[in-house]
Amino acid sequence: MILPGSLQAGNLATLGVMGGGQLGRMFVQAAQAMGYFTAVLDPDPASPAGLISHYHIQTDYLDQAGLAQLSQRCAAITTEFENVPAGALQSLGAQRCVSPSADAVRIAQDRVSEKAHFVRCGVACAPYAVIDCADALAAVDVALLPGILKTARMGYDGKGQIRVATRAQLQTAWHELGQVTCVLERLLPLKAECSVIVARGRDGVMVNLPVQRNVHRDGILAVTEVFDGVLPAAVAARAVDATRAIAEGLQYVGVLCVEFFVLDDGALVVNEIAPRPHNSGHYSLHACDLSQFDLQVRTLTGLPLLQPRQHSPAIMLNLLGDLWLARGDEPVTPPWDAVLALPGVHLNLYGKLKPLKARKMGHLTVTGATPQQARATTAQAASLLGIVPP
Ligand code: ATP
Ligand code: MG
């Protein structure tokens, strides 16, 4: 166990994170609030987490000297995005406590091994085929069309995905994606999307945040709503059970998010996993007594894991760079003064200097005494910002 504020080689105990994006930033903020020092490894000098961490090691994720510095500084190390090379986590794991493990991250990094894991756990996913050569492409069952062709590795925010309706389109799409290994998934009729975040300790204790209902726009998460009744209770219970089975099957240590589709007929289908806190869990910072980042700190340090309690209905709106660019090419700061005049609105910006279209700049969490109140305030905030309300 790494106690907060304990001494380590004359310094305060330091927690490390691979990756300096917004998830790393919120991990750093949670760790620092408890009195830990933090170290971030990310090549970008302006990375959101690097900017606020005690130490920022600015090297590539596979740089041996950078990794050695991180493991020397830190008592334990976690990761904040799944495309950190699993090999880097493996080499850190030989020296230090690392969670999640390189093995779990390796599975989550590859849609082919991820889907094989779902099958092993008995959790249904979309019908799919692996396309890794021209023969596999030619042999695809037309029952998978219309479908979505997704690169097996390195996709995020809908990148590396092309929708296809015919064999000819499939062929073109695979070439467009560079003929890398892909999965073709059948396009499913979605009634809703949801996600569940669990935290599992080294001792196998597991806790979960409530089921989150998600709305995506253009392949990017736009809105998350979390309160009783957001999904039928039976569907929510099945999602929690499936998430726990998936985490258990990986012998997972750390925070894990599982994304699901709810189909028109009420069936629940797993989409993908993220071996880290997740955008859909950001509301937990302001609506729960333990946030997903608190849970990440606790799993990493071996502190007690308690079931989080949500104390307020919550709605999260993602804030993309588009908001800054709505009035022309020169970025204009959105009217935060008016938005923050609304009760229950919590603004979290990630410290990114340059607003770009589709770039996640921050999020708003709206809490209310009731779901109706949270909805009404969200509608007001959305209209001030020019966002389509949920
Ligand atoms: P992110 O990083 O934001 O989670 P991603 O790039 O990993 O996204 P997916 O989660 O695979 O991409 O897909 C993004 C969105 O596209 C889904 O949330 C869903 O709205 C839609 N989608 C993906 N696969 C399917 C499918 N088989 N049928 C219907 N819709 C789908
Ligand atoms: Mg996704």
Side-chain angles (χ1 to χ4, degrees), residues 24 34 84 129 150 160 294 302 324 338 347 375:
M34 288 179 71
V84 164
K150 304 181 177 181
D294 295 328
W324 278 251
L347 175 66
R375 278 226 162 98

Side-chain angles (χ1 to χ4, degrees), residues 31-382:
Q32 292 182 348
M34 288 179 71
Y36 293 103
F37 269 30
T38 59
V40 168
L41 190 147
D42 187 307
D44 178 3
S47 78
L51 284 177
I52 63 161
S53 181
H54 294 90
Y55 307 108
H56 181 189
I57 302 165
Q58 291 173 30
T59 66
D60 184 79
Y61 297 113
L62 285 167
D63 183 271
Q64 287 307 318
L67 293 171
Q69 225 190 97
L70 188 70
S71 85
Q72 191 216 335
R73 282 225 186 275
C74 299
I77 298 158
T78 185
T79 175
E80 66 108 35
F81 84 116
E82 64 260 48
N83 291 329
V84 164
L89 295 176
Q90 185 106 42
S91 74
L92 290 169
Q95 323 270 332
R96 285 286 178 267
C97 229
V98 171
S99 71
S101 71
D103 288 345
V105 171
R106 196 171 278 125
I107 289 174
Q109 279 175 344
D110 188 318
R111 291 188 196 274
V112 177
S113 53
E114 185 179 57
K115 286 185 191 307
H117 181 68
F118 298 148
V119 172
R120 270 199 300 279
C121 295
V123 179
C125 60
Y128 73 100
V130 177
I131 297 179
D132 53 3
C133 62
D135 287 349
L137 184 76
V140 157
D141 185 346
V142 284
L144 292 175
L145 297 173
I148 307 188
L149 187 68
K150 304 181 177 181
T151 58
R153 303 178 65 84
M154 301 303 263
Y156 71 98
D157 286 350
K159 294 188 174 72
Q161 305 198 357
I162 300 177
R163 293 188 178 213
V164 292
T166 63
R167 256 183 201 289
Q169 285 176 7
L170 174 62
Q171 179 124 20
T172 314
W174 191 54
H175 281 83
E176 246 174 75
L177 292 175
Q179 291 169 278
V180 294
T181 301
C182 289
V183 297
L184 173 67
E185 277 178 37
R186 191 156 82 212
L187 187 66
L188 298 173
L190 309 189
K191 186 152 81 186
E193 294 189 65
C194 67
S195 56
V196 177
I197 289 167
V198 291
R200 186 172 179 279
R202 234 163 245 111
D203 55 4
V205 170
M206 193 157 21
V207 300
N208 64 276
L209 285 167
V211 175
Q212 300 129 192
R213 182 170 179 160
N214 302 323
V215 177
H216 289 80
R217 294 188 184 129
D218 300 325
I220 305 177
L221 182 67
V223 182
T224 296
E225 295 184 303
V226 198
F227 39 78
D228 280 347
V230 90
L231 283 172
V235 174
R238 268 187 281 142
V240 172
D241 287 350
T243 303
R244 285 176 167 257
I246 288 166
E248 199 66 53
L250 289 168
Q251 287 297 293
Y252 194 85
V253 178
V255 171
L256 175 80
C257 179
V258 181
E259 295 179 33
F260 296 94
F261 300 140
V262 183
L263 306 191
D264 281 346
D265 63 1
L268 187 75
V269 167
V270 62
N271 173 22
E272 60 173 357
I273 63 178
R276 50 169 173 79
H278 192 260
N279 195 167
S280 63
H282 291 352
Y283 74 96
S284 61
L285 284 166
H286 291 106
C288 298
D289 59 0
L290 280 173
S291 76
Q292 59 173 347
F293 304 102
D294 295 328
L295 295 173
Q296 189 178 17
V297 172
R298 287 178 180 234
T299 53
L300 186 62
T301 55
L303 287 169
L305 276 186
L306 302 173
Q307 180 69 23
R309 184 180 67 85
Q310 184 181 4
H311 49 70
S312 301
I315 301 175
M316 189 232 37
L317 298 181
N318 258 347
L319 304 170
L320 302 182
D322 309 57
L323 281 186
W324 278 251
L325 301 170
R327 290 164 197 84
D329 284 346
E330 278 309 301
V332 175
T333 305
W336 301 129
D337 50 346
V339 172
L340 290 169
L342 301 169
V345 169
H346 312 267
L347 175 66
N348 194 325
L349 295 180
Y350 307 145
K352 297 182 184 177
L353 282 177
K354 207 172 159 51
L356 299 173
K357 277 199 181 312
R359 185 176 200 201
K360 290 175 180 169
M361 300 296 289
H363 67 269
L364 271 190
T365 302
V366 181
T367 53
T370 61
Q372 292 69 24
Q373 204 180 74
R375 278 226 162 98
T377 309
T378 304
Q380 287 177 284

